[in-house]
Amino acid sequence: MALFSAFQTTFLLALLSLKTYQSEVLSEPLSLAPESLEVSIDSARQCLHLKWSVHNLAYHQELKMVFQIEISRIKTSNVIWVENYSTTVKRNQVLRWSWESKLPLECAKHSVRMRGAVDDAQVPELRFWSNWTSWEEVDVQSSLGHDPLFVFPKDKLVEEGSNVTICYVSRSHQNNISCYLEGVRMHGEQLDPNVCVFHLKNVPFIRETGTNIYCKADQGDVIKGIVLFVSIFEEPKDFSCETRDLKTLNCTWAPGSDAGLLTQLSQSYTLFESFSGKKTLCKYKSWCNWQVSPDSQEMYNFTLTAENYLRKRSVHLLFNLTHRVHPMAPFNVFVKNVSATNATMTWKVHSIGNYSTLLCQIELYGEGKVIQKQNVSVKVNGKHLMKKLEPSTEYAAQVRCANANHFWKWSEWTRRNFTTAEAAPSEAPDVWRNVKSVQGHCVVTLFWKPLSKLQANGKILFYNVVLENLDRPSTLKLLSIPAPANGTELTLDRCSYQIHVTANNSVGTSPASVIAVSGDPGNKEVEEERVKGTEDGFCLSWKPQPGDVTGYVVEWCERPGDPLCDLQWKNLGPNTTSTVVSSDAFRPGVRYNFRIYGISTERIPYLLEKKTGYSQELVPSDNPQVLMSNLTSYSFTLSWKDYAAESQPGFVQGYSLYLKSKAARCLPGSEKAVLSDDSICCKYKIDNPKQKTFVVENLQPASFYEFFLTPYTSVGEGPQGAFTKVTTPDEYSHILIRIILPMIFSILLIMILCYLKSQWMKEKCYPDIPDPYKSSVLSLIKSKENPRLTIMNVKDCIPDAIEVINKQEGTRKSLTETEPTKPTYLYLLPTEKSHSGPGPCICFENFTYNQAASDSVSCGHVPVTPKAQPSQLGLLTSSENVPKALGKNYVNSLGEIPAGETNLNYVSQLASPMCGDKSSLPTNPPEPALCSEYKTQMAIPMGLASPPSITLLDEGEHDH
Amino acid sequence: MDLRAGDSWGMLACLCAVLWHLPAVPALNRTGDPGPGPSIQKTYDLTRYLEHQLRSLAGTYLNYLGPPFNEPDFNPPRLGAETLPRATVNLDVWRSLNDKLRLTQNYEAYSHLLCYLRGLDRQAATAELRRSLAHFCTSLQGLLGSIAGVMAALGYPLPQPLPGAEPTRAPGPAHGDFLQKMDDFWLLKELQTWLWRSAKDFNRLKKKTQPPPAAVTLHLEAHGF
C-alpha cells in the first residue's frame, strides 16, 4: 500500500513538473533571448568581443539558436553591420562572438545590440526572434586621456596590398589638423568635427622600419604618428609529394618569401587531404610526412596552407599514389663470376605492388667513364651479364630502378667495384740497347718500356732475358729480372748475340722481343746535322736505306746533361723515313741529340744519322771572356778563344761587338746601335760563329773606347754586360821610345867621351886661338868671291905693342865680369899726344869674324873702354906708318882689286893687342854714350882716309 | 741636377750628424709632465671628429627611419624624450658654470647618451648601419675616456653613477613605434648639440689651461761641416 502511495506521489510530481514546463514555454515564448550582453574591445586587433548567455533554457537542454547582431557607429541609427550567428546553446552557456572593425575602434563610438531565435527542428514553434537587447555602447575615445591629438590604429601590422583605415581624434575644435603619409599630405573624410578618417588602399611595402603616418596641428607643438608595418607573405612554391615504400608520402615545398618586417612572424604549415578529410600540422617549414591509409586509397588531393599572424596562403596538389613512386635503391647487389673478360651482376629491389614492374638501369664504369649502359626489367631479383671486359682491370658497376609503368623518379644508384682476372701479356716489350766496349768486352745495357695496362693484362712479375750466342747456336743463357726493372746490363764477349726479352705475369708470358748485338760495334763516323725543334717536338727525317731494313729506331736522351741521360727511343716501321719526336721533358734552351738507327734483318741496329737541335732556342746565357791584345794607336785585337759556344741554350750564329767612342760617326764595317740604356754606340757584326778573334781598326790615337762582345742566336743576343775600357796610345809614343831613347843614350855616350877627351876636344873644337882658316867664314868669303874681304894672317901683323896678360889657366871671364884684367901695354910704335877728355872712341871689330855685321847699325856688343883708347889711338895716330907697316901685304891685296877701284886706299885695321884673345874683350864695361862705333870696313879715298881719324883721336887722351 | 758620389756622401754625413744630435734637440727631448693641455686638445679633436662622424651616421639612420624624420625642416616637439640629457642651456647659466661642472655635465651626458645609442645599435636592421653605430659607440666611448682623463688631469673626481639609474632605451611596442622613432631622432639631435657644446667647452678650457706660448727653438749643431 505504501509502495503504491509513493509511486502515485512521484507520478503527480512529474506531471506537475511537465505541466509547469509546458506552461512556461507556451506562456513565455520570448524568454529565450540573449542576456547579459557584454562588449569588450581589443584595440590592437581592432576587434569587438561580444559575450552573452541564454538563461531560460532547461537543464541539459541544447537548442540550436541564431543570434542577430547589429553594430552601429557614431549613432545607433547608423547600423554598419548586421550578422546572424548560429550556434548550439546550452543553459547558461557563455556565448562569444567577435567582430573586426575596418575602422579603428578609437575613431568612433560603436553600439551593439542583438536578438536571438531558436533554430532547432525539434522546437519549430519557437522559431521567432526575441526582443533586441538594449544597445551596448563602446566608446573608447572617452578613455583615451587628455592628449590633444591621437592617431589610430597604433602600429598596425598589415599585409602588402591590403586596405587600411586610419583616423585621428583631435581634442580641439579650433586646430586644423593635417596628416601625412611618408611626408605626403593625406586627405580624409571628416567623420565628426574631431575625427577624420583616411582610407589607404593597396598599401605597399616601403621599408623594414615601417611606413610613417603622422598628423600635426597647425598651431602648437602637437604631433602624433603611427607606424604601419607592411609584410610580404608569399605562398609556398614547388609543392610536391612522393612515396618510396607506398606507406608514407613525403611532401616537400619551398617556403615563399616572408619578409618586410624587422622581426619575422612565426609561420605554420598545414597539410590537408580532401578525400580522407585528414589534416596534419607540419613540424618543418619545407617538408611534411603523410601516412598512406591502408585502405588502398589511390587518389590524393592535398592542400598545403601556410599561415602567419596576418593571413594564409594555400597550394593544391592532386595525384595518383602509384604515379608518385620513387623506388628505394636496389639492395643485395653483387658482382659474381668475374673472369678476365666477363662478370655477372645481381641485385634485389623493393616491391612497389604486386603487379608492378621496375625498370633498372645498369652502368659499367671503367677508368671513370661509362663504357656500358643497359636497361633491365625486374620484378624482384635482377641479373645482368657484363661482357667484353679487359683482363686485370678495375671496373665499377652501378644499378638504379624506377617504376616501369608510371615513371616518376629513378632510385639512387647502388654501386659495386670489381677487378677482372689476369691474362698473359699480349704484347712483347719494347726493347732497346746501348752497347759500350769496355776492356775488350762488350757491355750491353738493355732497356725496355713497361707494358701498358692493356698489354700487360695483369701485374708483370718479372722479365726473362735469353741470350743466344749466334756463333755457338747451342748456347743459351737465361736471365730472369724481377719487375719493375726496366733494364739490365750485360757483359758479353765479342761474339754476336741475339737477345730475347719477354714479360711475365702470374698467368703467362708475353711474345718475345728480339734484338741482336754484333761483334762489330759498327760505330761509323756520321756527320751531325742540325734540326730545328718546334712546340710540337722535333721533326726528324732520314734517307731511306737501300736493302732490307726491318725498321728504324730514333734514340735520344731526355736529360742530356745528366749522366743517367734518361735514354728514350722510338720504334718505327721500315717504310718510315720521318717522325716527330715530342716529349713533355723537352725544355727550352737544352740541346738534344738524336741518333737514327736502321734495324737489319738480323735485328742488328746500325747508326744512320745524327741530329741535334733545340726544342726552343734561347738567347746566349753568358758572354765570352774577351782578351785584348795588339793595342796600337789605330787598332786593337780581341779574342775569346775559350768561349764554349756549344754549351749555350741555342746555336750561336755569330757575335756582336759594341764599340762606344766619342766620335759621332761609326767606323766602316759597323753601324749605329741603341743599347737598352738608350746609349748609342757602334755595332760590329761577326757572322761567323767560329771566328774567335776580331781586329778593331781605324781608331783614333789617344782616344777612349769602350767595347762589349756578346754572342747571338736566332732568338737574340746574350745578356747585356759591362763594357771594357780601352784608350789608344799616342801616335808618337812609339817613336819616342824607339828613337829618343837611343838618342839620349848616344848623347850621353858622346858626353862621356867628350869629358874623357876634353883636352883633345878643346884643342880641336874650341882652341884658345882659333884658326881663321878653319872658320866657316872663309868658305863663305870664297863663295861670294868678295875680293875686298880677306883674312888677316897673324904673321902679317907687325906688333906695335905687347900686352902682357896675366891670365890664369882654366879661368874664363864672362862678359859680365866687372873686374877687368888690367893689361899692360908695351908700346912698340911712337905715340902722339893723347887725346884727353871724353870724346868719341873708335871700336874695332875684326871683320874677319863678322862679315855680316857690315850692314849692321849697332855695335854695342863690342864696346871699347876709354882705357883702351890710348893704345888703340896710339896705333892709329901715324897714318903715314900704316902703309909702311902694311904696305907689302896691301900691295899684294891690291893686285886683286878690280881695275875700277884701284884709286882707293885701304885703311888697315891693325891687329889689336887683344887679337885672338876673346877673353880680354868683355873686360871693358859698356859705355855706349861715349863711343862712336867704327863698324864697317870700307874703301875710302886716299885723301880722306886719315883726317877723320886724326880729328877724332886726341893725343892727350892717351896720357892715361 | 747632377749628383756626384761626393755629394751623396756629404748628404749622408749630414744626415748622420743630424740624427746624432737629435737627442740633444730640446723640443724632442721633453720628459716632464706635459699637463692637461695635450689631453684637452686631444679631447677637443675627438669631439670635432665625432661631430663629423655623427653627421654621416645621422643621415643614414634618419633615412632608415623614413620621412618625416629625414626631412631637413622636421622639428618635432620633444615628446617622450624627456629622459635624454638636454644639451641646450641658457647662455648665462652656461657661462656661470665652472670647469668642473662643465666637465661633469659632459661626462654624465655622454654616459647616458652612450647607453641609449647602444640600444639603437641593437635594434638596427641592416648590418651596415649596425657597423656604423658600433663604430660611433666605440668613438663615443673613447670620448668619455678622454673626458675622464682631462678631469683626472685637472684633479676633478669622476661623477659616480647612481645605482639603478642606468638609462635604457624604452622597448618599442608599448611605447609606440612612432614615439620610439621620435626618441631616436631626438637622441641623434641631442648628440649633435652636445658635441657642438662640448667642442666649445673644450676649446674654452684649452684656452684657459694653455700656458703662454713658449718659443721652441730647434737648435741643430752641425760640427764638422
Side-chain angles (χ1 to χ4, degrees), chain A residues 36 120 233 257 483 488-489 505 575 588 703 841 894:
Chain A
S36 312
D120 202 322
F233 183 43
S257 169
T488 186
E489 195 170 87
N505 64 10
N575 298 324
S703 296
C841 63
L894 284 171

Side-chain angles (χ1 to χ4, degrees), chain A residues 523-536:
Chain A
N523 285 334
K524 62 175 181 177
E525 285 300 317
V526 176
E527 195 171 331
E528 194 172 64
E529 192 181 319
R530 283 185 182 180
V531 64
K532 192 171 170 60
T534 63
E535 285 181 2
D536 301 326

Side-chain angles (χ1 to χ4, degrees), chain A residues 183-317:
Chain A
V184 179
R185 185 161 181 182
M186 298 189 292
H187 297 282
E189 170 194 343
Q190 205 72 35
L191 211 59
D192 71 29
N194 294 333
V195 179
C196 187
V197 177
F198 304 93
H199 299 286
L200 307 181
K201 289 182 180 172
N202 194 16
V203 289
F205 169 79
I206 295 175
R207 72 178 71 78
E208 288 173 333
T209 50
T211 307
N212 300 320
I213 297 159
Y214 72 102
C215 299
K216 64 178 182 182
D218 287 352
Q219 295 167 359
D221 263 355
V222 180
I223 181 166
K224 281 290 173 73
I226 59 161
V227 179
L228 193 66
F229 291 102
V230 181
S231 117
I232 302 165
F233 183 43
E234 292 178 340
E235 61 189 18
K237 295 183 175 75
D238 305 327
F239 179 41
S240 168
C241 294
E242 65 181 27
T243 181
R244 315 253 1 215
D245 52 4
L246 298 173
K247 289 175 187 168
T248 307
L249 267 168
N250 177 253
C251 296
T252 56
W253 61 91
S257 169
D258 184 7
L261 292 173
L262 285 172
T263 49
Q264 294 291 311
L265 299 173
S266 61
Q267 299 167 0
S268 65
Y269 290 89
T270 312
L271 203 57
F272 173 70
E273 204 284 303
S274 62
F275 294 120
S276 63
K278 286 182 184 173
K279 191 176 185 179
T280 183
L281 186 66
C282 298
K283 282 185 188 174
Y284 306 99
K285 287 181 86 174
S286 60
W287 62 275
C288 203
N289 279 339
W290 183 271
Q291 292 302 316
V292 173
S293 57
D295 57 356
S296 64
Q297 179 189 351
E298 281 197 354
M299 293 305 293
Y300 286 83
N301 186 11
F302 278 109
T303 302
L304 175 70
T305 306
E307 188 175 2
N308 72 1
Y309 171 79
L310 292 168
R311 63 171 297 173
K312 297 174 180 178
R313 295 275 192 194
S314 296
V315 283
H316 304 278
L317 185 67

Side-chain angles (χ1 to χ4, degrees), chain A residues 120-173:
Chain A
D120 202 322
Q122 293 175 357
V123 198
E125 64 276 16
L126 294 177
R127 298 179 74 172
F128 55 88
W129 288 111
S130 70
N131 290 332
W132 288 102
T133 61
S134 58
W135 286 101
E136 284 294 324
E137 197 174 83
V138 183
D139 188 5
V140 194
Q141 279 185 19
S142 57
S143 60
L144 285 178
H146 301 288
D147 282 1
L149 184 65
F150 298 94
V151 181
F152 296 105
K154 273 189 176 175
D155 305 329
K156 196 172 169 62
L157 175 62
V158 296
E159 197 181 354
E160 188 181 38
S162 58
N163 300 331
V164 181
T165 305
I166 291 160
C167 78
Y168 71 78
V169 179
S170 166
R171 296 295 192 194
S172 168
H173 299 285

